[in-house]
Amino acid sequence: MGTTGTQLKTWRLEIEAFGSMEAKHRQKADAAELERLRKENKRLAEKNEILQMGEQANATGPSAPANDFFASRAVK
């Protein structure tokens, strides 16, 4: 074929370097996706906590100050 051992070695090293670059790009993309998912998970956990607090407040009924406010505004 007319290729030397040095040329074959150079090609092999280039292919290995390209493969490791692809792996690095994939790793960076995975890290970015993981960070995005962690932020989304945190946001959803906070939203869930707020909804649970509202659900508990509704289960116990309106607070006394709210009752007093609406009672004073009632049409008589």
Side-chain angles (χ1 to χ4, degrees), residues 6-75:
T6 305
Q7 184 61 46
L8 290 173
K9 182 179 179 181
T10 301
W11 289 341
R12 182 180 58 84
L13 292 174
E14 287 174 357
I15 290 170
E16 287 176 358
F18 182 73
S20 65
M21 286 180 65
E22 281 183 342
K24 285 181 185 179
H25 288 298
R26 204 170 341 152
Q27 186 179 17
K28 284 182 182 180
D30 288 347
E33 177 71 2
L34 181 60
E35 181 64 25
R36 185 190 70 77
L37 291 171
R38 284 182 175 155
K39 286 179 182 179
E40 178 72 4
N41 191 30
K42 182 178 179 182
R43 184 186 70 79
L44 291 172
E46 290 171 352
K47 186 175 180 179
N48 191 30
E49 184 178 339
I50 290 168
L51 291 172
Q52 286 178 352
M53 288 171 36
E55 187 177 275
Q56 289 173 357
N58 286 336
T60 59
S63 62
N67 284 337
D68 292 343
F69 174 78
F70 290 114
S72 66
R73 305 273 190 266
V75 178

